[in-house]
Amino acid sequence: MPTSGTTSGTTSGTTSKTYDRTRVAAWAAPASGEPLAPTTIERRAVGENDVLIAIEYAGICHSDIHTVRGDWGPQPFPVVPGHEIVGTVAEVGSAVTRHRVGDRVGVGCFVNSCRQCVNCLRGDEQFCLDGGVGTYAVTDRDGTTTQGGYSTHVVVDAHFVMSVPDGIDPAAAAPLLCAGITTYSPLKRWGAGPGKQVAIVGLGGLGHMGVKIAHAMGAEVTVLSQSLKKQEDALRLGADHYYASSDRGTFGALAGRFDLVLNTVSASLDINAYLRLLAVDGAFVNVGAPPEPFSVNPMSLIYGRHTVAGSMIGGMAETQEMLDFCAEHGIGADVEVIPASAVNEAYERVLASDVRYRFVIDTSTIG
């Protein structure tokens, strides 16, 4: 259980105010490239619009690894990663009506936004023009640094807390808060459904969710993976076809077939080869984060009225919609549940592609 205390802080000018704080157990990266280790961190007191969540499971995303290893620039160490959070409500603020103590809930990739810009008002809080606040390693609007889900408890504004339906196993639900919405949003936006041909590039943490969701939407699903080693898995997950992208004959055989190609990998690709797979008016949508820019031949776009696009998670309403969709269709991530003490080993295994398909930390093993 968290332990309470008080600290003094300064608001504006010389006016001081005492804030109640709570210390909780966590696992953090103390510095760039250093192994994660147990620690304690401070959570804010529950405000009138807040929810205190007793975390049950926290998924490991490749973004966590990039962050703590400094791949994405300097970070405000120590950093507690984790933006795939599932737990139960332990306390609610006086103004909270949507969640009650005991409810199972989830938190995804961000925990605040301005809620006043055109994007926020439209329900695209992930594109907040004033800068959305990530679940960890970001300065929140009160000046504190956010810390993520590799911990026992977290306090989050109720607007950014999702309800996790009973129909999803809580451990399998955690990765839905990132991998699930990252694939659901573009599949929905670009019309995956009956009569549509959808290709999923890559069969990892994102790709395996893309296959499950596209199949549930009614599309005919093809997986394009580097080799044939995951073919059996892909068909089990709901793919109708599977091809090795390392076989150049694949691109000739599939030319002009797909209404949508969803790229889930972060490796550099010959994007023009993939654009040739598109049918007229087809779209290549990128949700991976390759290290190098794509080089697009304009003729790959002009011939066939092709589109190259990108997508990033989803807003609060769409994320809730995704969770409800997954519950309705019996969809959860394929997970390997680990104790917190195995997190550093899990990072190495993610980098070696030795997980099928998402690690999830049992946070009862923290502290």
Side-chain angles (χ1 to χ4, degrees):
M1 292 296 291
T3 58
S4 297
T6 59
T7 59
S8 294
T10 300
T11 53
S12 60
T14 58
T15 303
S16 64
K17 182 178 180 180
T18 299
Y19 295 87
D20 290 326
R21 302 291 186 179
T22 299
R23 297 201 66 81
V24 303
W27 275 66
S32 179
E34 292 192 14
L36 278 71
T39 188
T40 59
I41 59 172
E42 198 172 73
R43 298 295 193 187
R44 70 172 183 263
V46 177
E48 64 177 2
N49 295 306
D50 287 335
V51 176
L52 172 64
I53 301 169
I55 301 173
E56 297 174 299
Y57 297 99
I60 293 177
C61 177
H62 208 138
S63 299
D64 302 346
I65 302 173
H66 284 307
T67 300
V68 303
R69 297 198 171 193
D71 298 340
W72 290 346
Q75 302 296 328
F77 291 102
V79 169
V80 177
H83 58 210
E84 300 177 345
I85 301 168
V86 168
T88 56
V89 176
E91 183 182 344
V92 297
S94 59
V96 176
T97 59
R98 195 158 61 96
H99 305 292
R100 298 180 179 180
V101 172
D103 288 353
R104 178 160 282 129
V105 294
V107 176
C109 298
F110 59 107
V111 293
N112 216 336
S113 71
C114 77
R115 287 191 261 173
Q116 297 177 345
C117 71
V118 63
N119 291 344
C120 285
L121 293 174
R122 189 174 56 205
D124 287 325
E125 296 98 333
Q126 75 275 29
F127 301 128
C128 176
L129 294 175
D130 196 35
V133 176
T135 307
Y136 62 85
V138 176
T139 302
D140 205 342
R141 297 185 180 276
D142 63 359
T144 61
T145 300
T146 57
Q147 300 287 4
Y150 297 10
S151 59
T152 60
H153 295 76
V154 66
V155 178
V156 181
D157 186 293
H159 180 77
F160 298 90
V161 177
M162 289 344 100
S163 296
V164 176
D166 291 337
I168 311 175
D169 174 82
L176 300 182
L177 277 304
C178 177
I181 186 59
T182 294
T183 50
Y184 177 88
S185 184
L187 287 168
K188 176 191 172 188
R189 184 164 300 277
W190 275 275
K196 296 291 186 178
Q197 293 279 347
V198 173
I200 306 294
V201 181
L203 194 68
L206 289 174
H208 95 287
M209 289 307 312
V211 170
K212 290 186 178 191
I213 292 171
H215 173 75
M217 288 178 169
E220 186 169 334
V221 183
T222 299
V223 171
L224 301 173
S225 190
Q226 182 69 15
S227 72
L228 295 176
K229 68 180 182 180
K230 294 182 180 179
Q231 182 171 14
E232 185 177 338
D233 272 6
L235 299 178
R236 172 182 61 81
L237 294 168
D240 300 285
H241 314 285
Y242 186 105
Y243 291 85
S245 58
S246 58
D247 180 354
R248 300 308 295 180
T250 290
F251 292 87
L254 300 179
R257 175 173 299 192
F258 299 107
D259 302 292
L260 171 63
V261 174
L262 182 64
N263 177 35
T264 71
V265 303
S266 293
S268 296
L269 297 177
D270 178 0
I271 188 173
N272 297 294
Y274 285 88
L275 288 173
R276 288 192 288 273
L277 302 180
L278 294 175
V280 172
D281 292 326
F284 176 95
V285 181
N286 196 70
V287 296
E292 302 295 334
F294 288 135
S295 179
V296 180
N297 183 337
M299 291 305 297
S300 297
L301 303 177
I302 293 170
Y303 188 78
R305 273 197 314 259
H306 296 152
T307 299
V308 175
S311 184
M312 185 183 79
I313 52 175
M316 295 300 96
E318 188 174 46
T319 303
Q320 186 63 61
E321 178 185 290
M322 176 274 305
L323 287 169
D324 295 340
F325 176 90
C326 287
E328 178 184 352
H329 292 275
I331 296 173
D334 283 23
V335 301
E336 181 177 336
V337 179
I338 62 169
S341 59
V343 66
N344 292 302
E345 177 189 353
Y347 274 24
E348 295 301 325
R349 288 181 57 193
V350 170
L351 294 173
S353 299
D354 180 25
V355 56
R356 293 192 177 179
Y357 283 92
R358 211 67 160 183
F359 285 116
V360 173
I361 300 168
D362 176 355
T363 60
S364 70
T365 63
I366 295 176

